[in-house]
Amino acid sequence: MATVGVIGAGVMGKDVAITCAANGYDVILTDHDPDVLAAAPRDARGLVRKFRMMSPTTGSWKADEVLGRIRFTADLGDLAEADWIVENIVEDLAAKERLYLRLREVCGEGVKIAANTSCISITKLAARTARPADVVGIHFMNPVPLLECAEVVRGFHTSDDTIKRAEEFVGSLGKRSIVVNDMPGFVSNRLSHLFMNEAAFLVHDGVAEPEQVDAIFKLGYGHRMGPLETADLIGLDTVVNSLNVLYEEFQDSKFRCCPTLKKMVAAGLLGRKSGQGFYTYAQH
Ligand SMILES: NC(=O)c1ccc[n+]([C@@H]2O[C@H](COP(=O)([O-])OP(=O)(O)OC[C@H]3O[C@@H](n4cnc5c(N)ncnc54)[C@H](O)[C@@H]3O)[C@@H](O)[C@H]2O)c1
């Protein structure tokens, strides 16, 4: 089985790492923040235990087996062994561009690089690497172990072989690929961030409480989660960063970030990951 190098051990990186390991891949997980990396084995074990109770597929996961396939490292150079790289660092163009430049030194011929970005152009990131044809967007959905598809994004230079390999990789994780073309936000986030931002504006304008906005989506439209619950799950910092990317790229005021969202992030209210967002969450 191939080796997957996962960069970034935040909300998405840990989910991607355990999903790959549970499906038989050897995984090398790295993060530049020593505290995040130190906490990652315990966090990943907690996630496996949580997901075991959440679906028939994940019900058979065994924490020792999954964790046994993940190597945690602070050294990006260790990812030279990987056949696939899945990049999940912060949604910041400059930070990602710096990392993709460094990947020139790390990734040998034949390595495929998947950018798990919410909104940033795959074409821009690929342009920083040695072989843009080997770079593809794989936008995993949160929570990764439970959701049934990934958006596979074809950058300007992405080769047919890379798309085929990405579809095989996503399929090996038990998910369906939906292949779309590169444009900021792709399909999922260009739509969902309008919903989440406008939902925040409804609260900002005093039209409704968060519970009311979400109840209308759940009870009225039959959605599993409301837009503000979804924003809390993603992380409000990531939502704000993504809206900024969409605003910047399209130069369209419809993506102007709600000031309440910015204020919450400035105050450290990041949603589930900080224990407080539009809702309050128990911390383990
Ligand atoms: N949260 C979601 O629901 C979701 C869904 C799909 C895609 N994404 C995308 O996935 C990416 C990660 O999002 P997240 O929610 O996991 O963010 P996060 O803030 O939870 O985690 C990001 C991690 O990247 C690390 N990092 C930052 N720069 C780094 C570098 N140069 N090298 C190594 N590690 C570095 C940080 O220390 C942090 O642990 C973003 O691009 C985001 O847009 C997020």
Side-chain angles (χ1 to χ4, degrees):
M1 202 79 172
T3 299
V4 182
V6 178
I7 311 177
V11 173
M12 291 308 282
K14 284 189 295 252
D15 261 22
V16 169
I18 60 172
T19 304
C20 291
N23 284 283
Y25 289 97
D26 288 323
V27 174
I28 307 168
L29 176 60
T30 187
D31 197 287
H32 74 166
D33 183 330
D35 294 337
V36 170
L37 199 58
R42 189 198 60 219
D43 291 352
R45 187 172 289 274
L47 286 169
V48 173
R49 291 202 176 118
K50 181 182 89 176
F51 287 124
R52 265 175 65 86
M53 293 181 279
M54 295 178 80
S55 88
T57 323
T58 52
S60 61
W61 285 11
K62 294 190 175 53
D64 285 342
E65 266 177 39
V66 173
L67 269 290
R69 292 201 195 97
I70 306 177
R71 179 147 53 101
F72 300 86
T73 178
D75 184 358
L76 190 68
D78 287 349
L79 274 68
E81 293 170 36
D83 306 283
W84 266 103
I85 300 282
V86 184
E87 173 275 308
N88 314 263
I89 74 161
V90 63
E91 186 73 354
D92 176 299
L93 177 62
K96 286 202 198 271
E97 284 186 327
R98 278 195 301 276
L99 174 68
Y100 280 76
L101 269 176
R102 283 195 63 202
L103 289 179
R104 284 173 182 245
E105 299 148 29
V106 174
C107 298
E109 196 118 358
V111 177
K112 301 290 184 188
I113 303 176
N116 180 20
T117 164
S118 295
C119 291
I120 292 172
S121 157
I122 304 307
T123 306
K124 268 191 187 170
L125 297 177
R128 299 287 160 183
T129 66
R131 287 175 296 280
D134 291 334
V135 181
V136 62
I138 301 185
H139 176 235
F140 286 100
M141 305 293 168
N142 177 6
V144 182
L146 303 182
L147 296 181
E148 293 171 19
C149 75
E151 214 173 358
V152 170
V153 186
R154 184 192 289 273
F156 186 86
H157 290 295
T158 309
S159 69
D160 289 343
D161 173 62
T162 303
I163 293 289
K164 184 169 154 280
R165 292 268 307 278
E167 289 181 284
E168 286 165 3
F169 177 45
V170 169
S172 73
L173 303 177
K175 302 183 192 306
R176 180 181 151 193
S177 293
I178 299 170
V179 182
V180 302
N181 289 320
D182 188 27
M183 191 62 80
F186 327 120
V187 172
S188 55
N189 286 321
R190 189 162 158 187
L191 280 172
S192 65
H193 280 66
L194 286 173
F195 270 40
M196 290 185 281
N197 197 35
E198 204 56 35
F201 268 117
L202 284 165
V203 174
H204 178 86
D205 291 342
V207 176
E209 295 298 322
E211 294 80 1
Q212 295 175 302
V213 175
D214 285 337
I216 288 169
F217 268 73
K218 289 187 288 186
L219 306 177
Y221 293 158
H223 288 206
R224 204 151 42 175
M225 291 174 77
L228 298 172
E229 288 170 318
T230 305
D232 269 3
L233 176 71
I234 292 171
L236 300 186
D237 49 345
T238 302
V239 172
V240 168
N241 287 342
S242 298
L243 281 163
N244 288 341
V245 171
L246 291 167
Y247 183 76
E248 186 61 34
E249 290 288 339
F250 289 109
Q251 297 287 305
D252 189 331
S253 61
K254 74 182 174 191
F255 294 113
R256 183 177 68 99
C257 184
C258 172
T260 289
L261 273 175
K262 288 188 189 169
K263 189 170 172 180
M264 289 172 80
V265 171
L269 277 59
L270 307 182
R272 276 181 188 267
K273 63 183 167 187
S274 71
Q276 180 71 52
F278 288 100
Y279 301 93
T280 303
Y281 304 89
Q283 291 294 283
H284 305 290

